Amino acid sequence: MSNKTCCRGPGYATPLDAMRSGPREKLLYTVTVQPNLDEPHGDYLSTVDVDPESPTYCQIVHRTFTNRKGDELHHSGWNACSSCYYVDESSKTVPKRDRLVLPSLNSDFIYILDVVTDPRKPEIIKTIDGDVLKSHNVTAPHTTHCLANGNIMISVMGDAEGYAKGDFILFDKDFNCIGTWTKGDKKALCGYDFWYQPYFDVMVSSEWGAPNKWRRGWKTGDLEDMSQYGCRLNFYKWSTQTLYQTIDLGSDGITPLEIRFLHNPKKAEGFVGCALNAKVFYFAKKADSDEFEAKKVIDIPGKLVDTGSGVAEDMGGMISDIIISLDDRFLYVNCWRHGDLRQYDITDPENPKLTGQVFLGGAICSDLPNVIVKEDKELKERPPARYVKGRRLEGGPQMMQLSLDGKRLYVSSSLYSPWDKQFYPKMVSQGGHIVLINVDTVNGGMSLDEDFLVDFGNEPYGPSLPHEMRYPGGDCTSDIWLANDA
């Protein structure tokens, strides 16, 4: 990349610049799923007011409905972010962060929202039909990242028939479909999340599984065919768009979901949370080689639990999200089934140190009469249920979003509505929530903010389920930084 710039694009020059100079968040764009598939207004984007000086603090101030049944909005991303910050002097246009991209896991539709005309009231300005993806033999769009060249890339998890397929679909700045990204004959078996580091000419992706498997809920028998369920990390040459290395993480690494390089663009290392058995793997580039290696660095043991069937089974923690602070000091890990949220100091990334833990519900709370914990290698007693403003927190901690300064961590409760219905039916019937965790950024540690609750139980068209959250100006999981001398 040239050091000569004519102007600045969106975002921040460096992660530390964002952490030190970024404003406090005032709005939280929250993907919200309608679990009632007969409700015609469908899923929506909730605009949540998180400005403590505002009279509507902790309230949903606007809802942007898709007005389509069965989409299953899930993650979101931007048309431009900090990867577009440095604009080459030869460029005729300066990118603007003005479009939020909302892919749908179930319908394969993609919604493009204008968030600049009125940031408190985003508006859908373009809808990309699911048949566009199917015409390229891909489905189940997931993670959206903008690219420095102005294009937008979205990971996909299935082919047109719903079988597993790891690839990416590209759109230009006007959201015209360009086609799939991966070149060559070698393709990943499964897809899910991805992160790129052009300084090292690499992109890494993770794996969930085949849409025709996870769309119908979790079944242990699906693991009999590991070509249709994920346990691998896939490394691509960024410059040639080719898959060159796959690391099989084994049974500990089943369902490696959220994957992050460190924010420092000159560090070729990162973490991935493996959901089913609650392990976190660290991966890093080998010295004098393009190859990467991975090793397990966090091992959260399963619990032997009878949930009411009379048979005790191993219950994994279900790590469905991880997030790294912008200074690359803290790693946050959720355990959706066990009900706890953890903070690790990753100053020494190969040896994370547990520095904080809070319980926010989960499936083993002490007030659940039909649940019997037969064996727990970590806890001496079951955690109590958690209440905020008189409301019992149903479900467990799920998606997270960290403030730019690292002091506030927002946590939602919904994973994916078919799985919510399977594991936490009471949360589905009563609606999900967002809570706030206050973070000690000096010594480490976390505490629940007892005065903050966004309750999705009394929504206009029935209880709904909040998932991923974004700030209008970018955040720890939307923005990727490039080395300015790459």
Side-chain angles (χ1 to χ4, degrees):
M1 180 188 301
S2 171
N3 283 315
K4 297 179 180 180
T5 57
C6 65
C7 41
R8 303 301 191 193
Y12 304 88
T14 68
L16 291 180
D17 181 40
M19 189 173 196
R20 294 165 181 164
S21 306
R24 177 174 175 137
E25 66 285 355
K26 293 185 177 181
L27 296 176
L28 197 61
Y29 293 142
T30 304
V31 170
T32 310
V33 174
Q34 169 57 257
N36 179 5
L37 299 181
D38 294 324
E39 170 39 55
H41 291 85
D43 300 343
Y44 51 102
L45 185 73
S46 299
T47 303
V48 179
D49 187 336
V50 292
D51 179 2
E53 303 300 319
S54 169
T56 53
Y57 180 57
C58 275
Q59 296 179 31
I60 301 170
V61 296
H62 184 73
R63 300 166 184 84
T64 307
F65 292 93
T66 65
N67 292 310
R68 189 179 187 281
K69 300 178 184 178
D71 277 321
E72 191 75 31
L73 298 179
H74 196 65
H75 282 205
S76 61
W78 296 105
N79 65 316
C81 74
S82 293
S83 68
C84 308
Y85 181 81
Y86 290 105
V87 181
D88 191 271
E89 60 184 4
S90 63
S91 177
K92 296 180 180 179
T93 60
V94 178
K96 295 181 179 180
R97 190 197 306 262
D98 58 3
R99 301 290 184 260
L100 187 64
V101 183
L102 298 181
S104 307
L105 285 187
N106 289 357
S107 69
D108 308 315
F109 274 56
I110 301 171
Y111 298 91
I112 313 302
L113 280 68
D114 171 9
V115 297
V116 170
T117 302
D118 186 345
R120 291 174 71 92
K121 297 181 179 180
E123 179 184 0
I124 295 174
I125 59 169
K126 183 169 185 176
T127 300
I128 300 170
D129 194 287
D131 288 339
V132 173
L133 271 66
K134 289 185 177 69
S135 71
H136 294 279
N137 194 30
V138 295
T139 55
H142 187 267
T143 298
T144 301
H145 280 305
C146 67
L147 309 185
N149 64 6
N151 290 337
I152 297 96
M153 189 156 84
I154 305 175
S155 62
V156 293
M157 293 182 278
D159 64 15
E161 301 301 320
Y163 293 99
K165 180 180 183 179
D167 208 338
F168 312 86
I169 192 80
L170 277 174
F171 294 87
D172 67 18
K173 64 181 180 62
D174 298 314
F175 297 99
N176 300 304
C177 189
I178 297 172
T180 53
W181 181 81
T182 309
K183 295 181 179 180
D185 296 330
K186 195 173 182 181
K187 301 290 194 299
L189 289 175
C190 303
Y192 187 72
D193 195 19
F194 71 102
W195 200 278
Y196 57 83
Q197 288 284 41
Y199 187 80
F200 296 97
D201 194 23
V202 67
M203 182 181 82
V204 62
S205 71
S206 57
E207 300 184 335
W208 186 1
N212 60 20
K213 300 291 187 184
W214 46 255
R215 280 175 176 165
R216 56 169 168 66
W218 165 252
K219 293 187 178 182
T220 304
D222 288 342
L223 299 181
E224 294 174 2
D225 182 358
M226 290 307 293
S227 71
Q228 297 300 299
Y229 244 90
C231 64
R232 296 158 291 262
L233 302 185
N234 299 292
F235 294 87
Y236 297 80
K237 284 286 185 184
W238 185 244
S239 58
T240 62
Q241 302 171 210
T242 52
L243 175 63
Y244 74 92
Q245 183 188 7
T246 296
I247 299 178
D248 191 325
L249 301 176
S251 60
D252 275 345
I254 292 173
T255 54
L257 298 183
E258 304 301 326
I259 192 162
R260 322 281 186 217
F261 272 112
L262 295 183
H263 292 292
N264 184 338
K266 291 188 177 181
K267 296 277 190 171
E269 54 190 321
F271 296 90
V272 62
C274 300
L276 184 63
N277 295 316
K279 318 299 179 191
V280 175
F281 280 75
Y282 165 78
F283 58 89
K285 185 175 177 291
K286 297 178 182 178
D288 301 319
S289 171
D290 291 333
E291 297 275 304
F292 278 72
E293 55 189 351
K295 72 173 186 177
K296 182 175 60 178
V297 293
I298 297 174
D299 188 340
I300 299 173
K303 305 176 190 297
L304 193 61
V305 181
D306 177 357
T307 57
S309 66
V311 178
E313 297 179 326
D314 182 73
M315 178 188 289
M318 192 71 76
I319 295 176
S320 47
D321 197 19
I322 64 170
I323 195 168
I324 299 173
S325 61
L326 288 175
D327 58 359
D328 291 331
R329 182 184 172 194
F330 291 115
L331 171 70
Y332 297 87
V333 176
N334 81 315
C335 286
W336 191 60
R337 294 287 281 139
H338 292 174
D340 60 315
L341 184 69
R342 304 182 183 214
Q343 177 198 56
Y344 292 87
D345 186 322
I346 54 170
T347 304
D348 177 0
E350 294 188 60
N351 297 283
K353 178 182 177 183
L354 183 65
T355 50
Q357 184 178 26
V358 292
F359 283 86
L360 302 170
I364 60 165
C365 292
S366 58
D367 66 343
L368 296 173
N370 297 323
V371 173
I372 301 173
V373 178
K374 298 283 189 178
E375 182 183 63
D376 191 327
K377 296 178 181 178
E378 289 190 311
L379 303 177
K380 295 181 179 179
E381 58 184 23
R382 292 163 58 184
R386 205 67 191 251
Y387 290 80
V388 179
K389 291 187 171 182
R391 188 191 198 278
R392 187 185 190 278
L393 299 184
E394 302 293 344
Q398 218 297 118
M399 293 305 292
M400 299 175 284
Q401 193 51 261
L402 186 65
S403 61
L404 297 182
D405 62 12
K407 296 179 180 179
R408 294 167 301 283
L409 184 68
Y410 298 90
V411 186
S412 65
S413 58
S414 168
L415 191 155
Y416 171 60
S417 67
W419 290 36
D420 294 344
K421 292 173 182 178
Q422 181 177 358
F423 292 111
Y424 291 117
K426 195 170 182 180
M427 179 186 68
V428 176
S429 65
Q430 295 187 3
H433 58 264
I434 299 173
V435 295
L436 175 60
I437 304 298
N438 294 314
V439 179
D440 183 342
T441 58
V442 177
N443 304 304
M446 303 182 293
S447 62
L448 177 65
D449 188 324
E450 302 287 353
D451 296 319
F452 184 99
L453 176 71
V454 184
D455 186 349
F456 288 79
N458 297 302
E459 288 296 273
Y461 302 104
S464 60
L465 304 169
H467 188 64
E468 194 188 48
M469 300 159 285
R470 291 262 175 255
Y471 307 134
D475 50 62
C476 295
T477 55
S478 69
D479 282 36
I480 294 176
W481 278 267
L482 307 186
N484 192 28
D485 59 349

